[in-house]
């Protein structure tokens, strides 16, 4: 099984321990990998490097054997991307945005309200009202637009950054169905998340990142909530518990996070 | 060039750019309406009485023809100021804003080189500048022919407008390059737009005299000589070519920065 994603010793330092450090990761053809980490762990930085938005200071980041920064344009012909923070260009309707995206990707088909037949199918599947303006949409509806845009080109590789963020339960379930269908089609998927359920339902393997380092890898079915929390936040995080302060012993004696307080 | 992006960029610029063009057209109509050789003489008297005040608004030259009248009242401050405003807005709309709010990710996720994307955005800016100046020239001709048929030297005014295009491209390229070079998007916009405003004010301050004439030679905006271009003077043409050359340098710097910088989107 050849590697689709190949990150070797990549470092991108934003200072104050933010970024990724000596990160190595491989994702094989047809594999669905969950990329788990707490907020600020380095997931989005990794995605940015894979998308060729930023260049690592050290190491290499490659997709399909090409350098992600210098070979970005060629790589993007086969990649679908859903950013973690969705921001849309201009004030357009979802239909106009999807048509524009299809035109930019060179997959525009005439008479399709979302740019291509696959886009129309996906919009229907997610019950997306494409006549609404994207700026006025709720977080979940905007997320649907992002999902349609990422999947409509039938890419060989999907980079999904927190894909179910804002989706209601039914739409989360439909998203899982869609990912499973893509998996059967042989699409390689890297799914960044901090939600265990999202990874369990879709991924073969989970890679944990903490403070910019890959700290653990496991098959998705081996994951438990405790092991996931331990890997995401470190073992000490599980030792903190809420302890109720007696009513008479009010604010002066309460020390959040300290002994006898919130621990 | 990527035409879907080119078209969308022009559409996104349309609201403010068309508003600027329409306001300027109304202003042109008013100025042309005010033209009257007798009133022109009285204005000239006022100008002689308060030369600094008139010069501060870029109206330093006496006007004895309709063309000179327009050059005096429109091309000193009004048009240059509008083009600076437009340049800052275009840079904000096409580069600085998308880099700041993250929507640039949408473009960089497309299968096109950064060079092609940036070149398309710059082409949209250049076309917007040319379109606005062409619209202004047509407005001038229409108003003048309606109110004073045959009085306007259209060719001379067209030559002055060629220089105005070069000035607009210079301001646009400076703002665009600044927006691409600086990692902090807000800073990039302020540096580029701030430099353009400074150049404009330097030119105006220099024309008021009082020992500030040296400021004119320090401002690239002084390379634009509307009167010289209208009269077909070689030096003014060279100034225009220098502005175009500087625009090409700034656009090239913008391309280089856009192609090599990190975008934390």
């Amino acid at each position: 099984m050849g590697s689709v994603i190949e990150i070797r010793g990549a470092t991108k330092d934003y200072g104050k321990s933010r970024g990724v450090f000596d990160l190595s990761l491989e994702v094989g053809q047809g594999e669905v990998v969950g990329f788990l980490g707490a907020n600020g762990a380095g997931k989005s930085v990794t995605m940015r490097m894979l998308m060729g938005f930023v260049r690592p200071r050290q190491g290499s980041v490659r997709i399909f054997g090409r350098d992600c920064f210098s070979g970005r344009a060629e790589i993007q012909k086969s990649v679908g991307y859903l950013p973690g923070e969705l921001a849309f260009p201009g004030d357009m309707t979802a239909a106009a945005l999807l048509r524009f995206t299809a035109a930019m990707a060179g997959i525009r088909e005439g008479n399709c309200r979302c740019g291509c037949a696959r886009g129309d199918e996906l919009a229907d599947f997610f019950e997306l009202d494409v006549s609404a303006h994207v700026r006025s949409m709720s977080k979940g509806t905007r997320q649907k637009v992002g999902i349609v845009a990422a999947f409509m080109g039938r890419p060989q590789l999907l980079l999904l950054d927190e894909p179910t963020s804002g989706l209601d339960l039914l739409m989360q379930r439909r998203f899982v169905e869609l990912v499973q269908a893509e998996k059967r089609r042989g699409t390689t998927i890297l799914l960044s998340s901090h939600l265990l359920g999202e990874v369990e339902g879709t991924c073969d393997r989970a890679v944990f990142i903490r403070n910019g380092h890959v700290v653990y890898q496991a098959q998705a079915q081996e994951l438990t909530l405790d092991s996931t929390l331990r890997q995401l936040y470190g073992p000490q995080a599980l030792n903190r518990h809420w302890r109720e302060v007696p009513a008479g012993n009010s604010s002066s004696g309460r020390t959040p996070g300290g002994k006898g307080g919130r621990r | 060039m990527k035409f879907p992006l080119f078209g969308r960029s022009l559409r996104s610029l349309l609201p403010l750019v068309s508003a600027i063009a329409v306001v300027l057209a109304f202003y042109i109509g008013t100025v042309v309406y005010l033209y009257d050789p007798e009133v022109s003489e009285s204005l000239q008297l006022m100008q002689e009485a308060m030369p600094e005040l008139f010069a501060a608004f870029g109206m330093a030259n006496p006007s004895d023809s309709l063309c000179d009248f327009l050059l005096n009242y429109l091309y000193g401050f009004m048009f240059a100021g509008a083009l600076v405003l437009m340049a800052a807005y275009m840079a904000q709309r096409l580069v600085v804003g998308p880099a700041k709010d993250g929507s640039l990710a949408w473009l960089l996720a497309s299968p096109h080189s950064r060079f092609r994307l940036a070149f398309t955005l710059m082409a949209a800016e250049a076309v917007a500048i040319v379109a606005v100046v062409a619209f202004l020239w047509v407005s001038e001709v229409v108003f003048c022919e309606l109110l004073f048929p045959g009085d306007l030297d259209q060719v001379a005014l067209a030559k002055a407008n060629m220089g105005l295009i070069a000035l607009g491209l210079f301001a646009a390229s400076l703002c665009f390059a600044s927006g691409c070079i600086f990692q902090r998007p807000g800073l990039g916009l302020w540096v580029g737009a701030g430099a353009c405003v400074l150049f404009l004010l330097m030119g105006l301050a220099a024309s008021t005299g009082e020992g500030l004439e040296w400021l004119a030679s320090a401002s690239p905006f002084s390379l634009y000589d509307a009167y010289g271009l209208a009269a077909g003077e070689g030096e003014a043409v060279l100034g225009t070519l220098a502005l175009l050359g500087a625009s090409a340098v700034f656009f090239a710097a913008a391309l280089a920065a856009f192609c090599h910088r990190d975008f934390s989107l």
Side-chain angles (χ1 to χ4, degrees):
Chain A
M1 187 168 58
S3 290
V4 171
I5 292 175
E6 200 176 342
I7 303 176
R8 289 188 193 277
T11 296
K12 185 72 186 174
D13 189 354
Y14 286 101
K16 296 179 182 173
S17 301
R18 292 179 304 129
V20 294
F21 308 93
D22 196 25
L23 185 93
S24 293
L25 171 69
E26 285 196 26
V27 180
Q29 172 69 48
E31 210 180 358
V32 181
V33 174
F35 194 45
L36 284 150
N39 294 327
K43 303 187 300 291
S44 293
V45 176
T46 307
M47 288 291 190
R48 283 179 204 145
M49 290 195 301
L50 287 167
M51 287 299 292
F53 297 165
V54 300
R55 213 177 342 204
R57 202 189 65 204
Q58 284 174 5
S60 66
V61 181
R62 305 177 86 82
I63 289 178
F64 303 125
R66 291 175 189 273
D67 179 79
C68 287
F69 196 89
S70 59
R72 187 193 57 78
E74 196 59 34
I75 290 169
Q76 289 305 319
K77 289 177 182 168
S78 313
V79 173
Y81 174 58
L82 178 65
E85 295 286 333
L86 268 174
F88 298 111
D91 189 18
M92 299 190 251
T93 63
L97 179 68
L98 292 168
R99 283 197 297 271
F100 171 64
T101 306
M104 288 296 284
I107 55 168
R108 181 90 193 260
E109 296 165 6
N111 300 325
C112 291
R113 66 201 155 95
C114 298
C116 62
R118 166 92 161 159
D120 286 357
E121 285 167 18
L122 287 164
D124 290 340
F125 183 58
F126 283 102
E127 299 173 23
L128 175 64
D129 174 13
V130 293
S131 64
H133 277 253
V134 287
R135 287 263 161 94
S136 63
M137 286 176 168
S138 68
K139 162 90 175 126
T141 312
R142 289 156 67 95
Q143 195 70 9
K144 291 180 191 176
V145 177
I147 290 171
V148 173
F151 282 76
M152 71 180 178
R154 294 184 189 277
Q156 293 174 44
L157 169 65
L158 279 160
L159 299 173
L160 308 171
D161 197 353
E162 302 188 8
T164 60
S165 174
L167 293 185
D168 60 37
L169 282 175
L170 179 63
M171 292 304 144
Q172 285 185 28
R173 186 169 163 172
R174 288 191 187 170
F175 173 77
V176 169
E177 273 181 43
L178 182 63
V179 169
Q180 286 167 345
E182 284 296 310
K183 189 175 165 181
R184 285 192 294 276
R185 198 170 68 83
T187 309
T188 306
I189 301 174
L190 181 66
L191 188 154
S192 154
S193 178
H194 53 243
L195 301 174
L196 179 60
E198 193 171 72
V199 172
E200 275 182 328
T202 52
C203 298
D204 305 316
R205 183 161 63 96
V207 175
F208 289 80
I209 182 171
R210 191 168 73 230
N211 299 329
H213 299 272
V214 169
V215 290
Y216 181 64
Q217 301 197 35
Q219 294 302 306
Q221 65 266 28
E222 292 171 8
L223 298 176
T224 63
L225 181 60
D226 269 7
S227 71
T228 301
L229 288 172
R230 197 169 291 116
Q231 296 304 334
L232 285 180
Y233 303 102
Q236 74 283 2
L238 295 184
N239 297 331
R240 300 183 72 177
H241 301 283
W242 174 261
R243 227 177 258 171
E244 194 67 54
V245 178
N249 198 2
S250 64
S251 59
S252 59
R254 179 177 289 182
T255 313
K259 284 184 179 178
R262 294 187 183 113
R263 287 196 53 121
Chain B
M1 178 84 95
K2 188 66 189 165
F3 285 102
L5 176 60
F6 180 73
R8 197 192 64 78
S9 301
L10 280 181
R11 275 198 299 280
S12 76
L13 297 177
L14 196 62
L16 191 100
V17 169
S18 56
I20 288 174
V22 168
V23 168
L24 289 178
F26 274 109
Y27 194 75
I28 289 167
T30 309
V31 168
V32 173
Y33 182 75
L34 286 174
Y35 176 70
D36 181 322
E38 287 175 21
V39 174
S40 189
E41 278 170 25
S42 60
L43 275 172
Q44 211 164 317
L45 286 173
M46 283 172 67
Q47 198 166 317
E48 283 164 14
M50 300 177 284
E52 291 89 358
L53 184 65
F54 274 70
F57 289 93
M59 306 170 193
N61 296 288
S63 49
D64 49 12
S65 71
L66 180 52
C67 184
D68 282 353
F69 185 80
L70 293 180
L71 292 180
N72 193 27
Y73 290 101
L74 296 173
Y75 288 72
F77 174 76
M78 185 57 66
F79 284 178
L83 287 177
V84 166
L85 176 65
M86 229 181 106
Y89 173 75
M90 292 193 298
Q92 159 67 20
R93 192 79 184 167
L94 299 184
V95 180
V96 176
K100 196 173 181 180
D101 68 22
S103 60
L104 194 63
W106 216 262
L107 293 188
L108 294 182
S110 68
H112 305 289
S113 67
R114 287 188 179 201
F115 182 92
R116 194 176 184 189
L117 296 172
F119 185 84
T120 304
L121 297 175
M122 293 187 322
E125 286 206 355
V127 166
I129 294 276
V130 172
V132 165
V133 176
F135 176 77
L136 295 180
W137 181 72
V138 169
S139 304
E140 288 166 333
V141 169
V142 167
F143 281 119
C144 290
E145 290 305 315
L146 281 174
L147 297 171
F148 305 100
D151 280 7
L152 179 68
D153 184 347
Q154 295 179 16
V155 176
L157 200 62
K159 286 177 186 169
N161 281 327
M162 294 291 184
L164 195 63
I165 289 174
L167 185 69
L169 289 175
F170 175 80
S173 65
L174 179 54
C175 290
F176 195 87
S178 171
C180 290
I181 289 166
F182 288 91
Q183 281 286 336
R184 280 176 55 195
L187 183 65
L189 181 67
W190 284 112
V191 169
C196 286
V197 171
L198 184 68
F199 293 151
L200 185 64
L201 293 178
M202 282 164 72
L204 294 176
S207 60
T208 61
E210 297 175 357
L212 296 173
E213 293 85 354
W214 62 273
L215 282 172
S217 55
S219 167
F221 277 30
S222 64
L223 290 168
Y224 173 55
D225 177 4
Y227 291 94
L229 285 170
E233 291 171 9
E235 202 174 323
V237 175
L238 283 178
T240 300
L241 291 175
L243 279 174
L244 287 174
S247 308
V249 169
F250 281 128
F251 274 136
L255 273 175
F258 192 89
C259 289
H260 293 101
R261 65 168 280 187
D262 283 348
F263 285 104
S264 291
L265 305 167

